[in-house]
Amino acid sequence: MANEINENIFLVNAPAGSGKTTEIRKMVDTYLREYPEDNILCITYTNRAADELSKDIESDKVFFGTIHSFINHFISSFFSHRAIIDLYWEVYRDKIVERIENVEDKDNVRESNERYIEKYGRLDLETIYSNIQEITYNEAPYNSLYLGALSHDDLISFTRIVVDKFPVVKRKIADKYQLIFIDEYQDTSADVLHIFYEAMKKSSGKMYLLGDKMQQIYKTYDGSFEEEFLTLNRSKNLNTNYRTTPYIVSILNRIYNDELYIQNSYKQNKDEDMSYLPEIIITSIPDEEVIKKKNEYPDSMVLYLLNKSRFYGIGAENLYETVRKMEKYQHGKKYGVVDVLTNLESNPDKLFALLFLFKQICTDYKKGLYGQVLKTIKDHKNQLNSSKYSVKQHTDKKTIKLLLDNVLGAFEQGDNKIVDFLNHAKELDMIDDEYIEEILGDEDYATVLEVSIQEFHNLVNYLHNPYVSTQHGVKGESHDTVLFIAANSSHDPVVNISKFFELWSKYEIKLAEFERFYYAYKNMLNEIESNIRMKITDLKKDDYVKHKEYIFQSVSDFSEAYEENVYYQGLIKNDIEKFLGKDGVTSAKACLKENLVYGALSAYKLFYVGCSRARKNLSIIIDKKDVQGFEEPLIRKFETCGFKIKND
């Protein structure tokens, strides 16, 4: 039986270059003029996206923000009700008991328990329950269970539990908002999609989910909303590509290989604007090819798959690695390494806010803008000792100039370490004492401070003239000429470009089919882990013997169900057949790895997104060793898509 369509909930395909942000702003503006008393909600994936969408829209009838900010703004008003606190208790009581008992005698848990006893006199379920007066969001990757404070992920999962248990919350959402937009739906967690889907499916309001499955390069969505996607209204699409030439659009359509998602090129874009036809360069010296191409097209964007390559490519590798390892910027925290290394104006980090400030002062000083320099110093009293730069008499100007020459000279001396410069500026009393001590006294900065300050200058030069980019760092950004380095990556998330190219050279691939297979395979892995109560990666020989029958049967059933599937044949057939032919813990773990499928799927998406970033000229550089064994059929595949081939 066909799925019943929810006519008021729209799934809008909005690929890169389709003007999604402009379209949302236009729809919001039009709706506000027609229904000035209605309320509109725009849920975005990042605060940056929220700022971009809200630009030039001034109305208290529209809420732009991330799901976390929305929950804090709207749903959290329910979180002080005793019924919600009781639900929290029902969900987290067992974890609270585990933390109280601390059977593994973890130091951090013991210290936390001691602090609680010191503050409240005792630590037991009754005391904890009576002290929780509301459920809150602690803006961290971990829960503060004793306080009822939820992490990033648990805030969303718990909110879904609340919405499912208390229909009044769903009704409040539908009553409050007559128009809802979910931007970048492909990166939105299934819990969030379920919350709004359940709220809006029987309402008189409308909801639009806008995005592009091909740009789903984060693991925030688990595939559990696929059935609901089939019920959505697909009558609206943004299928005009305003970004690139007709020739490149035709290549994108062939890579996507799905009639539902065919793009049309904007009529003002002309193939005559291209300097050369899109090309594939297969070479045993990829780095040299990048340099050669970069010399030929100095303004080109060199596109790598991951942030690591991006910062390594601009000569800021140590800066990247040391900041990435800082506790406060670990995965899941409010800010990450990219936020710290790319935010020039409102940096969340004390050290980098100071360094970027010095760069601004140095730039203005070299331009002779002395008045602006003094104003900048005066405006940053919390960071700089502005009293040193007060001009009360004519001789003060000479003193200040000598001081600035000294400090900024040390700042620009590339062989200095960051700590050398800071100590020099401290000795000259240029930085506020309290501010500098918070940096120098923080052990988390120890390794960062040892990095050459030249790497910081390399970073700033790049930020003012970006020529190296990544899929994950600035997804959606475009450039006239793109040099795309299509390489494997073993970092998380894994990207297996070789396996994708091999699969693609043999079969007709479609994203929807590929994703269905991936989710089916992932579901099998999840069911096995749930049944044996442990991660497959943790399996030992004795564990396998204990669960052998169940694991073997699960793999056998999956193999039988998908033996004709091209993704099964191209990605996991050999590993599964080895296991079924001679089972054991080693062969079981070898065929039950999510990345066997996900690595190729993510490569497919990133390959497409990489190609979509070029406005006029596109060069894809491939290491010859990565396509060994299937080079000829892959070349034929590229040629059918419209690429020109250069093969050394």
Side-chain angles (χ1 to χ4, degrees), residues 223-277:
S224 61
F225 196 76
E226 293 301 296
E227 288 299 315
E228 287 77 6
F229 277 135
L230 298 176
T231 72
L232 304 187
N233 186 335
R234 295 171 182 256
S235 62
K236 181 177 179 63
N237 280 303
L238 303 180
N239 56 10
T240 297
N241 189 316
Y242 294 93
R243 172 183 290 178
T244 191
T245 63
Y247 196 99
I248 295 179
V249 170
S250 69
I251 287 178
L252 295 175
N253 285 333
R254 292 186 185 108
I255 295 172
Y256 212 125
N257 191 33
D258 194 325
E259 292 182 0
L260 290 174
Y261 301 108
I262 290 176
Q263 298 179 56
N264 302 308
S265 180
Y266 184 49
K267 59 184 179 182
Q268 292 185 15
N269 294 334
K270 306 294 183 183
D271 286 340
E272 291 77 17
D273 294 334
M274 297 189 300
S275 302
Y276 57 88
L277 289 177

Side-chain angles (χ1 to χ4, degrees), residues 37-48:
E37 298 305 313
D38 282 1
N39 293 296
I40 302 173
L41 174 64
C42 294
I43 297 295
T44 60
Y45 188 66
T46 64
N47 288 315
R48 178 182 174 184

